[in-house]
Amino acid sequence: MSPQRKLLLLGTFVHSKTQQHLEFLHNAAVAVDEQGKIAAIERDVAEASEAQARLLTQLGWDEAEVDVTVAAEGQFFFPGFVDTHIHAPQYANAGIFGKSSLLDWLETYTFPLESSLADLSKARRVYTRCVRRTLSHGTTTATYYATIDVAATNLLADLCLSMGQRAFVGRACMDNPDVNPDYYRDASAAETLRATQQTIDHMRSIDPGFDIVSPILTPRFAPSCSREAMAGLAQLHRETNLPIQTHISENLGEIQLVKSMFPEADSYAGVYDKYGLLTPKTVLAHAVHISEEEAELIAHRGSKVSHCPCSNTSLTSGPARVRWMWDRGIDVGLGTDMSGGYSPSILDAARQAALVSRHVAMGIHVPEGGGAAAVEQEKERERVKLTVEEALYLATRGGARCVGLEDKIGGFEVGMEWDAQLVSLSQVSDDGGMEEHDHGHGLVDVFGWESWGDRLAKWLYNGDDRNTKRVWVKGRLVHKRK
Ligand SMILES: [Zn+2]
């Protein structure tokens, strides 16, 4: 790849300082070096031009070797989104789920589509569109499930690398003949491991440091895997330290199935723990119905949870309790779980996380007649609701922690990599119309009197890909919208 040009970004920058707080840097400048790393940040100077001059002098950079991007009035830079759980092959089914729930959804919609992507021209069409679409929504890192097909999985990795999306690409492992259809499963545990190794070898050949594209070990979910396959993948993890992803406790029928299939374990999380898959590098999608003991075990092992609110609602799985998991010390990020979830947008996932937390609140019973118990329950109702700041944290730094990239992405700090988006919100003109250049800017209208916190709230609740004007990964411009 040809070396990148240096970047200088000027204007307003917004990122999560902590789980509860957004930081706003105005009239600031960020310098990004040829490796895509943030080399320096100037904040709160009187004018952006002054910040630019100071930074160039400080770094000894010549203006001619730097591409400058200025955030105009109403625009701001925001960290790129991290999707910690998404199924690339299912993109073609986004929105198609009828009234199904998990197990019949897999049979009816998912396995037929996934198996059909062994046709590489079809896989190329679906994967190209999926990567383009998620980039256009500001997803700079995606943790993908692919299919069981090695060539198609390798193709997804190739496409992520060429289009510049940071990605974990996992070949779906599923060898249990009792649960998986004959037309779509691995022939044996040995075949699962052999095929997985081929995808690892391929990704090592195209991106030796796994800088942009990394393999991720992907036992589909416990029922789909033999004990030998799970133990073999765990062994591979210990040898390679590669990350692991799987599903957990999404749906009550699934939990019953796990219970009947694995009597040797006390719980669903216990199955993964028994076969060595519960590690600090494991991302567990859903965790809707996990017990107190399972939460304790997951926290103790340092495994992470990908919260997938859109999917959990669409497939009637249930409302996962983010505050409850945070209280128990579990790191949580967001997943679209497309196409269990219909939306490829992490901004949408953040919005739905906020809304689902309100459903969790509404489910907390407040006893009638007042009293101390009622007061406590009222307080708890308030406490479990996620704020705008928390939802946006989940979409960025929270997700980065889930995939072990918290030192590299998710915020704007010197030494971190420039994975970012330029967001633009419509400015309403004096007569209530739109400025000429604002046509096509989406649903968010800014009148000019809003605080910056309110602008971010407006973006969270009404924003979409029309607001995402530019997207960078590791300093490379990977998406641009007029
Ligand atoms: Zn999933």
Side-chain angles (χ1 to χ4, degrees):
M1 218 176 284
S2 56
Q4 287 173 173
R5 289 188 36 95
K6 292 170 180 158
L7 305 178
L8 198 60
L9 300 305
L10 302 170
T12 293
F13 298 75
V14 185
H15 67 160
S16 293
K17 190 73 184 163
T18 66
Q19 206 165 293
Q20 283 82 30
H21 296 286
L22 289 168
E23 182 177 48
F24 299 87
L25 309 174
H26 300 291
N27 288 326
V30 169
V32 177
D33 68 18
E34 300 95 323
Q35 279 79 45
K37 273 198 179 150
I38 298 177
I41 301 176
E42 269 296 318
R43 51 181 69 201
D44 297 317
V45 294
E47 288 291 331
S49 58
E50 189 192 326
Q52 174 176 357
R54 270 164 51 175
L55 265 191
L56 291 179
T57 311
Q58 181 193 325
L59 293 165
W61 290 0
D62 185 349
E63 213 173 328
E65 57 179 355
V66 179
D67 287 341
V68 179
T69 303
V70 182
E73 176 67 25
Q75 298 186 331
F76 59 93
F77 297 99
F78 197 77
F81 292 135
V82 181
D83 189 340
T84 59
H85 185 78
I86 173 169
H87 298 258
Q90 296 173 18
Y91 179 58
N93 268 354
I96 307 176
F97 56 95
K99 291 178 84 167
S100 62
S101 59
L102 178 64
L103 300 176
D104 57 318
W105 170 80
L106 284 169
E107 289 292 334
T108 311
Y109 301 103
T110 305
F111 292 152
L113 174 64
E114 287 193 12
S115 62
S116 76
L117 295 202
D119 170 348
L120 288 184
S121 64
K122 188 172 176 183
R124 181 178 290 276
R125 257 181 104 197
V126 173
Y127 288 163
T128 301
R129 195 64 182 172
C130 175
V131 174
R132 286 227 174 96
R133 180 66 73 191
T134 51
L135 280 174
S136 76
H137 281 275
T139 300
T140 49
T141 298
T143 308
Y144 285 119
Y145 266 63
T147 66
I148 70 171
D149 191 79
V150 170
T153 301
N154 292 346
L155 175 64
L156 175 59
D158 293 344
L159 292 168
C160 291
L161 189 63
S162 69
M163 286 186 261
Q165 187 173 50
R166 203 184 283 277
F168 295 88
V169 176
R171 176 196 172 275
C173 294
M174 38 198 285
D175 68 328
N176 186 338
D178 299 334
V179 170
N180 303 302
D182 288 342
Y183 68 86
Y184 188 52
R185 66 175 157 84
D186 297 332
S188 63
E191 170 61 15
T192 290
L193 297 173
R194 192 188 60 78
T196 297
Q197 187 61 52
Q198 287 180 326
T199 63
I200 296 169
D201 294 344
H202 177 75
M203 283 179 248
R204 190 167 280 129
S205 75
I206 60 169
D207 188 1
F210 299 148
D211 265 350
I212 294 289
V213 176
S214 166
I216 182 165
L217 305 172
T218 306
R220 184 172 199 118
F221 70 146
S224 67
C225 293
S226 67
R227 292 165 177 81
E228 295 75 13
M230 286 194 281
L233 289 167
Q235 177 64 26
L236 197 50
H237 162 76
R238 289 191 293 274
E239 289 163 15
T240 58
N241 201 29
L242 285 173
I244 299 168
Q245 63 178 345
T246 191
H247 296 91
I248 195 169
S249 205
E250 178 174 356
N251 159 297
L252 297 174
E254 169 211 15
I255 294 165
Q256 278 311 316
L257 182 62
V258 171
K259 208 173 177 171
S260 66
M261 289 176 69
F262 300 94
E264 70 272 33
D266 347 333
S267 67
Y268 201 155
V271 174
Y272 291 136
D273 197 44
K274 187 167 182 61
Y275 295 103
L277 291 167
L278 223 49
T279 79
K281 296 193 79 169
T282 302
V283 182
L284 301 162
H286 302 287
V288 178
H289 305 285
I290 54 171
S291 67
E292 195 69 60
E293 293 72 26
E294 288 179 292
E296 198 182 309
L297 176 61
I298 291 166
H300 186 66
R301 295 283 182 252
S303 302
K304 326 294 186 204
V305 166
S306 173
H307 176 42
C308 306
C310 181
S311 171
N312 293 342
T313 302
S314 298
L315 297 185
T316 344
S317 300
R321 299 153 292 171
V322 173
R323 181 82 58 202
W324 181 87
M325 290 190 273
W326 272 346
D327 289 345
R328 281 145 188 83
I330 299 173
D331 281 319
V332 183
L334 290 177
T336 57
D337 192 30
M338 196 184 62
S339 68
Y342 53 80
S343 169
S345 158
I346 282 291
L347 187 64
D348 199 24
R351 175 184 313 148
Q352 298 208 27
L355 295 181
V356 165
S357 75
R358 281 150 179 78
H359 279 278
V360 173
M362 288 185 274
I364 293 174
H365 176 67
V366 178
E368 279 175 33
V375 171
E376 278 310 305
Q377 292 295 79
E378 282 289 1
K379 267 199 216 158
E380 185 60 10
R381 268 194 176 191
E382 278 307 302
R383 198 182 71 85
V384 300
K385 291 192 252 179
L386 296 177
T387 63
V388 168
E389 290 81 358
E390 288 170 333
L392 292 172
Y393 169 89
L394 285 170
T396 54
R397 283 201 200 259
R401 284 184 70 83
C402 275
V403 297
L405 293 178
E406 65 272 21
D407 295 334
K408 271 193 179 174
I409 59 166
F412 300 138
E413 279 154 32
V414 172
M416 289 177 89
E417 298 185 356
W418 181 247
D419 281 28
Q421 50 188 318
L422 176 64
V423 178
S424 184
L425 307 178
S426 295
Q427 311 291 304
V428 180
S429 63
D430 289 346
D431 63 0
M434 288 189 190
E435 301 288 353
E436 189 66 31
H437 69 273
D438 274 351
H439 286 286
H441 271 207
L443 301 174
V444 186
D445 284 330
V446 172
F447 290 86
W449 57 69
E450 298 88 345
S451 68
W452 271 93
D454 287 347
R455 289 175 197 212
L456 269 286
K458 284 188 158 191
W459 178 51
L460 171 67
Y461 284 109
N462 269 318
D464 58 39
D465 57 329
R466 287 170 292 184
N467 302 110
T468 299
K469 297 300 175 191
R470 300 248 196 296
V471 180
W472 295 263
V473 173
K474 209 169 184 252
R476 173 180 168 193
L477 185 66
V478 292
H479 173 73
K480 190 173 171 181
R481 187 185 182 100
K482 282 219 169 91

